[in-house]
Amino acid sequence: MGNTYQIIEYGSFVRDKEVAGYTSLPQHTFDTLEKFILSNNSRNADALELMGLSARKGIGKIITAKNYVGVIGIEDGTIIEILPKIYSCKYSTEVKTKKLLIDMLQTLRNFPYKSMQTTNVNIEKMSIFEIFIRMFLQEIFFIVKRGLKCGYETISSNQTVFKGKMKFAGQIRYNYAHKERCYVEYDEFNLNRAENRLLKTTLLYLYQYTSSSKNKNDIRTLLNSFTDVDISVDYKGDFAKILPDRNTKDYTLALMWSRVFLMGKSFTSFSGSETAFALLFPMETLFESYIAAQLRRVLDISKYCVSAQDRTYHLFDEPNKKFLIKPDLVIRDKIGGVVYIMDTKWKVLSDEKPNYGISQADMYQMYAYQKKYSAVNVTLIFPLTEKISADKIIEFHSQDGVTVKVKFVDLFDIRKSLENMVSDFGV
């Protein structure tokens, strides 16, 4: 059972020493994390955004988190947790930040996080990883309560009574001197189907890494229902055997969790020799997904429709369509046909930076959106930051009629932020 070490996005680890402003990691854990970063940097461009390596005189090597959040597990049971850096006008706590991260994960498509129910989970005392396990176990309890599904399993074995069909190659090989036996192949209706093997394997896997006594006890309890189920020795093969149907509808979310835990199916494909798993998520993606979900709640859906990653237009149409443009959010007035464009950027702006830190590429992008969509309003959305006033008016105007507005959202008061934003441009 290992320890959990936590930093906030853009926070830093140092090796085995106490330094103000840094989180200390044991030497072995630091070295393992360093190898993990270096091995991924060499073959995965996304890893460059994961963590940075540097060194300072008197401190030594430093590992700094960038814009990925989530958990990294090391084979010795150590858990490294990276939480998003959230600034708010309201008082921010670790518990509120964890709850917000879970709320953001719940908005992702094709991931099991939307099933998270945290009302019965003590977030204050649990790491993000333990909360993930808790959510998975809730799904398994639901399945067990309704009863594990059986299926037909093809079995080849030596029998004293003939059933199924004779396997002549096996009969010759094994029963040349035992004419009283039959080497046969038959179908048996039992619990040992691919879905159950994967769930049992996930339970055993998580038992090794959870440090929560409640999670451990619940895993032991659940495993009693899987006594007659084998362990999966081929994850990919067993996942490939799954054919969704009405009988296994209850399994859907649990199997999505199994993919996450057994095959590291988060947004990343990071891996390392001593790294058990890496469930990491780019904040840019989470921010966009969360804003889209919250915007749909704020707007009157009878009057407006919200399209995420809209694919209506290309930059060029002749001789054929080239260079697809995909605004993060397109709001269309169903009655008047008016279009509003929003693009989310997970970036800290500051009064001290040229153009507040807004990139020229972002402005080119917004200009193109306005021209192609003939949008009446084009808005860049950034997270609220302590480095710039929340009520500061930032707008850019061009003589050919393009105006780009810059707005900020307080993620701990997201509804109010979005209501103010949409009312500002008449939605």
Side-chain angles (χ1 to χ4, degrees):
M1 190 181 298
N3 295 319
T4 297
Y5 298 93
Q6 183 191 94
I7 55 173
I8 301 296
E9 191 185 5
Y10 304 113
S12 299
F13 288 118
V14 292
R15 182 197 281 137
D16 208 19
K17 62 177 66 176
E18 297 299 324
V19 182
Y22 298 88
T23 300
S24 177
L25 284 181
Q27 183 172 337
H28 173 71
T29 303
F30 187 97
D31 292 344
T32 300
L33 187 58
E34 181 183 16
K35 290 177 185 175
F36 167 72
I37 296 166
L38 291 172
S39 65
N40 282 285
N41 279 357
S42 64
R43 64 176 186 271
N44 188 339
D46 289 340
L48 297 174
E49 299 298 324
L50 171 62
M51 287 184 168
L53 292 170
S54 60
R56 285 186 61 184
K57 188 176 181 179
I59 296 178
K61 290 184 178 179
I62 300 170
I63 294 175
T64 302
K66 292 189 178 180
N67 68 335
Y68 276 81
V69 297
V71 290
I72 300 171
I74 296 173
E75 287 187 343
D76 64 4
T78 299
I79 299 294
I80 294 168
E81 185 175 278
I82 308 171
L83 294 179
K85 181 178 176 61
I86 308 292
Y87 173 78
S88 174
C89 294
K90 297 185 176 182
Y91 184 64
S92 173
T93 65
E94 178 189 326
V95 176
K96 287 178 69 176
T97 302
K98 284 183 182 179
K99 177 65 170 62
L100 175 61
L101 176 56
I102 291 171
D103 288 345
M104 296 175 91
L105 287 169
Q106 285 177 309
T107 66
L108 294 177
R109 293 183 178 182
N110 301 321
F111 279 85
Y113 308 103
K114 56 177 61 68
S115 68
M116 288 183 175
Q117 300 295 326
T118 58
T119 51
N120 298 320
V121 176
N122 190 346
I123 293 177
E124 194 167 343
K125 295 182 179 179
M126 299 178 77
S127 70
I128 292 293
F129 179 59
E130 296 294 351
I131 295 171
F132 286 173
I133 296 176
R134 188 79 242 139
M135 302 308 120
F136 171 69
L137 297 183
Q138 288 177 355
E139 292 298 323
I140 303 300
F141 273 117
F142 175 74
I143 292 170
V144 169
K145 185 178 180 179
R146 293 198 167 202
L148 296 180
K149 305 301 181 186
C150 292
Y152 284 100
E153 179 187 18
T154 300
I155 297 174
S156 298
S157 67
N158 245 337
Q159 300 285 329
T160 56
V161 178
F162 181 84
K163 58 179 176 177
K165 60 182 180 181
M166 179 75 74
K167 300 290 286 184
F168 290 102
Q171 181 70 14
I172 294 170
R173 182 178 179 183
Y174 296 107
N175 297 329
Y176 181 77
H178 297 278
K179 306 299 182 184
E180 76 283 3
R181 295 181 185 174
C182 305
Y183 195 87
V184 294
E185 182 179 273
Y186 57 95
D187 291 333
E188 184 174 274
F189 194 65
N190 57 34
L191 291 172
N192 197 39
R193 59 188 296 164
E195 293 89 340
N196 293 332
R197 288 197 297 272
L198 289 164
L199 296 186
K200 179 176 182 175
T201 305
T202 308
L203 288 169
L204 291 169
Y205 174 83
L206 294 176
Y207 189 81
Q208 300 175 63
Y209 293 104
T210 181
S211 58
S212 162
S213 57
K214 178 170 178 54
N215 283 347
K216 276 191 177 293
N217 289 335
D218 284 348
I219 290 173
R220 282 196 292 264
T221 299
L222 287 167
L223 282 171
N224 290 329
S225 300
F226 290 82
T227 305
D228 297 326
V229 178
D230 292 341
I231 296 171
S232 175
V233 294
D234 178 9
Y235 303 158
K236 288 185 179 179
D238 277 341
F239 276 118
K241 292 176 183 176
I242 297 173
L243 298 174
D245 57 40
R246 287 186 299 174
N247 291 329
T248 58
K249 187 177 180 181
D250 296 343
Y251 281 67
T252 303
L253 289 174
L255 288 170
M256 289 173 74
W257 275 114
S258 287
R259 281 186 185 273
V260 168
F261 291 123
L262 296 180
M263 302 178 72
K265 293 296 182 184
S266 61
F267 268 91
T268 67
S269 56
F270 302 128
S271 62
S273 58
E274 293 183 69
T275 306
F277 54 84
L279 307 179
L280 299 166
F281 307 87
M283 278 304 302
E284 185 79 22
T285 302
L286 285 179
F287 186 51
E288 176 193 325
S289 177
Y290 189 56
I291 295 297
Q294 295 299 322
L295 194 60
R296 290 187 177 100
R297 296 180 183 179
V298 168
L299 292 171
D300 183 346
I301 59 173
S302 67
K303 296 180 180 178
Y304 302 97
C305 66
V306 179
S307 173
Q309 292 290 303
D310 191 82
R311 293 169 171 262
T312 303
Y313 296 108
H314 290 72
L315 271 179
F316 302 100
D317 304 303
E318 299 293 341
N320 48 46
K321 295 184 182 299
K322 292 289 185 180
F323 303 105
L324 178 68
I325 59 175
K326 295 187 296 181
D328 290 341
L329 299 166
V330 175
I331 304 170
R332 291 183 173 90
D333 184 330
K334 293 180 180 179
I335 300 173
V338 177
V339 176
Y340 307 87
I341 304 287
M342 292 182 173
D343 232 42
T344 59
K345 302 295 178 185
W346 184 255
K347 186 177 182 181
V348 175
L349 297 191
S350 170
D351 284 322
E352 299 176 359
K353 296 179 180 178
N355 297 321
Y356 308 101
I358 302 169
S359 75
Q360 190 163 327
D362 288 341
M363 298 308 287
Y364 284 155
Q365 198 175 44
M366 302 306 286
Y367 185 91
Y369 292 162
Q370 196 283 329
K371 289 297 183 183
K372 278 292 181 179
Y373 284 81
S374 299
V376 299
N377 191 292
V378 183
T379 305
L380 274 170
I381 303 175
F382 292 88
L384 186 64
T385 166
E386 70 275 20
K387 297 181 179 181
I388 201 164
S389 174
D391 55 3
K392 189 179 184 73
I393 297 175
I394 304 176
E395 295 183 3
F396 300 91
H397 307 272
S398 72
Q399 290 183 349
D400 59 353
V402 177
T403 295
V404 177
K405 295 184 178 183
V406 177
K407 298 291 184 180
F408 301 93
V409 292
D410 180 349
L411 287 170
F412 287 129
D413 197 0
I414 187 68
R415 188 175 185 88
K416 182 179 178 182
S417 291
L418 291 177
E419 284 176 347
N420 291 339
M421 189 182 304
V422 297
S423 64
D424 179 56
F425 54 77
V427 174

